[in-house]
Amino acid sequence: MTERLGFNLVSFLILVMMFSSSLIAQDCTPNDIVLNSQSAINNFQVDHGPCDHVDGRLTIAGNDIANLAGLSDLVSVDDLVITNNPTLPNVDGLSGLNTIFRDLEVSHNSDLIDLDGLIGVTHVTRNILIWNNVELESLDGLTWLTEIGGNLNIRDNTSLPDLEGLSHIVIVGGEVGVESNGNLVNLDGLRSLVTIGGSLRIQTENLVDIDGLSHVNTVGGRLIIYHTTLTEVDGLSGVTRAGSDLWISLNAQLRNLDGLAALSAARNVAIEDNARLDDCTGLIRLIDPIDHATPGPGPGTAGIPDVADMVTIQNNREGCNSIFDILGGAEYFAINTGLNDAWFNPQTPGQGFFIIVLPHLKQIFLAWFTYDTERPPADVTAFLQEPGHRWMTAQGEYEGDSAVLTLFVSSGGVFNSALPAPVTESGGEILLEFTGCNSGTVTFDIPSMDLQGVVPIERVAADNIAQCYLLGNPLPDAR
């Protein structure tokens, strides 16, 4: 009985040792391996094993490679490169693989249809590059990945319809690049993504929707969107800070930047050459004179507290061609001394208004320089300047964004003389309304002359727009 127990115990220990040894990874030789033919794939275990781990780079690149069945015993590799295999339709032979300790590159495989053979991979510690696989239709083989320590680049895969295989990724430690994937129209496959440690680069010409990025709240590097067919960028509404530059360019259908309304810090800002972009009010939090990102990265060369260096806003449509253009269209507004300026209607140059806000009196003074209602006869002369010139003044109280002013007409005076004393008579009423720091209307009613109308006005110069915005924003901290 004792002998039997001793034999059984020894047998058990031997079995345990055998089982344990089977769990220990066996390194292939040498550390870096290049497989450049189908025969090299077929003879992998004979030439390099028995093994289940490549302690280095495994490169698969061969003109006649049609399957990877000879690699079925592999469990892990340090780096996996599958490149320049013109006759490889799939990677099913890698179905035993579960860990890539550094980089995964799949590139220039002209017949590759899917990555289903990588379905067992749960960890890619560093970078993933899926590049120039013109027939690739699916990334579903990457579906169990939740975190990538380095970069994720999906580029030049012209048949790829979606990114569904990436739908569980929450964190990318480096940059995310989605570029030149001509069949891709949305980024819904990135719907779980929250953190991007590096840059976000989007350049896919037929892309019309980036709502798949709606959970992203951090972009550690540049935020670049160029050469897409996007009409809006609402998918970026959760991003509050760009660790580097904001660059939006050559998006021919882009109409607004409302999706950037939460963004409050960047190093450089470039919004240019977007042919239909006329609403950039989504940038106001970033480019206004209020420090939202305390301590702010700026002020840079543009004097903006939330931008560390340069701001370039140009070659878009009217309303989005300068900082002043954007701040002037802000909806957050109340009358303030930043409106003190010369104003005019561009359709009637050579005449206009001086507007002065008197905050202690809660009143506005307006001087209107204009012309007679009809041209005077040719033989009428003037002692000073042109005989058709006329001027009127108005004054009254304001509240919020509007003021009702009494219109006065003065006459009878002499240039630079106290005598004879001029006669000032009430001549009508003006409703002065502002829709922003660079836009308003003068609605006039002059009964004595039977004149009524509306004059749209804007500033002659834009220098005071930022000050007006700062003074006229009643709740800057609420945005």
Side-chain angles (χ1 to χ4, degrees), residues 327-340:
L327 293 182
E331 295 179 1
Y332 319 100
F333 184 74
I335 287 175
N336 62 83
T337 55
L339 295 170
N340 293 350

Side-chain angles (χ1 to χ4, degrees), residues 60-115:
I60 302 168
N63 289 334
D64 70 334
I65 296 177
N67 71 78
L68 304 181
L71 307 179
S72 60
D73 291 330
L74 281 179
V75 174
S76 59
V77 299
D78 280 7
D79 299 287
L80 177 59
V81 179
I82 305 172
T83 186
N84 291 299
N85 299 284
T87 59
L88 183 67
N90 60 64
V91 292
D92 292 354
L94 295 172
S95 58
L97 198 64
N98 62 48
T99 303
I100 299 173
F101 288 105
R102 291 195 296 251
D103 298 341
L104 168 64
E105 176 184 339
V106 181
S107 64
H108 299 91
N109 303 288
S110 56
D111 276 3
L112 188 64
I113 301 298
D114 62 60
L115 301 179

Side-chain angles (χ1 to χ4, degrees), residues 124-409:
V124 177
T125 305
R126 205 161 62 182
N127 303 312
I128 294 179
L129 172 61
I130 312 296
W131 180 25
N132 198 24
N133 305 284
V134 295
E135 297 295 329
L136 187 64
E137 297 178 355
S138 169
L139 301 179
D140 290 353
L142 304 176
T143 194
W144 295 115
L145 292 174
T146 60
E147 182 175 347
I148 301 169
N151 302 329
L152 172 64
N153 287 296
I154 312 297
R155 190 171 77 207
D156 294 309
N157 304 287
T158 53
S159 298
L160 189 65
D162 59 61
L163 303 179
E164 284 303 310
L166 307 175
S167 62
H168 291 115
I169 295 177
V170 177
I171 299 172
V172 176
E175 72 173 28
V176 173
V178 182
E179 301 174 270
S180 299
N181 302 285
N183 205 31
L184 193 65
V185 296
N186 66 62
L187 302 182
D188 290 356
L190 297 176
R191 56 185 168 271
S192 297
L193 188 59
V194 174
T195 301
I196 300 173
S199 298
L200 171 61
R201 297 196 326 273
I202 301 173
Q203 187 273 303
T204 290
E205 55 272 21
N206 294 316
L207 194 66
V208 297
D209 179 358
I210 59 171
D211 291 350
L213 298 174
S214 61
H215 290 107
V216 174
N217 57 37
T218 300
V219 177
R222 295 182 174 183
L223 202 171
I224 300 173
I225 302 174
Y226 68 106
H227 205 268
T228 73
T229 52
L230 292 173
T231 59
E232 42 84 7
V233 291
D234 290 357
L236 299 174
S237 60
V239 179
T240 60
R241 193 179 189 103
S244 184
D245 303 341
L246 172 66
W247 181 34
I248 299 178
S249 179
L250 296 170
N251 302 283
Q253 304 300 321
L254 191 61
R255 304 298 181 89
N256 70 73
L257 299 179
D258 293 351
L260 298 175
L263 191 63
S264 62
R267 187 176 69 188
N268 293 288
V269 176
I271 313 294
E272 51 190 349
D273 301 310
N274 303 285
R276 297 190 179 186
L277 183 61
D278 60 3
D279 181 359
C280 288
T281 53
L283 290 178
I284 282 178
R285 185 179 179 87
L286 179 64
I287 65 169
D288 69 17
I290 301 169
D291 188 356
H292 297 281
T294 306
T301 56
I304 297 171
D306 294 327
V307 179
D309 201 348
M310 297 181 63
V311 176
T312 304
I313 303 175
Q314 62 185 9
N315 297 329
N316 308 299
R317 294 191 69 179
E318 184 179 351
C320 191
N321 276 321
S322 71
I323 296 171
F324 297 138
D325 221 9
I326 298 169
L327 293 182
E331 295 179 1
Y332 319 100
F333 184 74
I335 287 175
N336 62 83
T337 55
L339 295 170
N340 293 350
D341 219 328
W343 296 73
F344 80 124
N345 177 6
Q347 301 302 316
T348 56
Q351 50 190 305
F353 306 83
F354 282 128
I355 295 174
I356 300 175
V357 178
L358 306 168
H360 296 299
L361 299 176
K362 201 69 174 178
Q363 291 200 346
I364 289 180
F365 174 81
L366 175 148
W368 186 353
F369 300 90
T370 183
Y371 296 95
D372 209 335
T373 55
E374 295 181 1
R375 292 296 302 162
D379 60 350
V380 173
T381 59
F383 293 103
L384 181 68
Q385 283 295 345
E386 208 269 350
H389 282 178
R390 296 292 182 268
W391 59 92
M392 293 173 282
T393 60
Q395 190 165 341
E397 295 185 351
Y398 66 86
E399 183 69 32
D401 60 4
S402 63
V404 177
L405 312 178
T406 301
L407 183 68
F408 298 97
V409 178

Side-chain angles (χ1 to χ4, degrees), residues 409-433:
V409 178
S410 299
S411 61
V414 173
F415 175 73
N416 197 30
S417 175
L419 296 174
V423 176
T424 300
E425 297 177 340
S426 175
E429 188 175 84
I430 284 179
L431 173 62
L432 180 61
E433 297 177 289

Side-chain angles (χ1 to χ4, degrees), residues 10-25:
V10 171
S11 300
F12 174 74
L13 291 173
I14 290 173
L15 287 171
V16 169
M17 291 175 64
M18 291 176 61
F19 179 72
S20 299
S21 66
S22 69
L23 296 177
I24 300 173

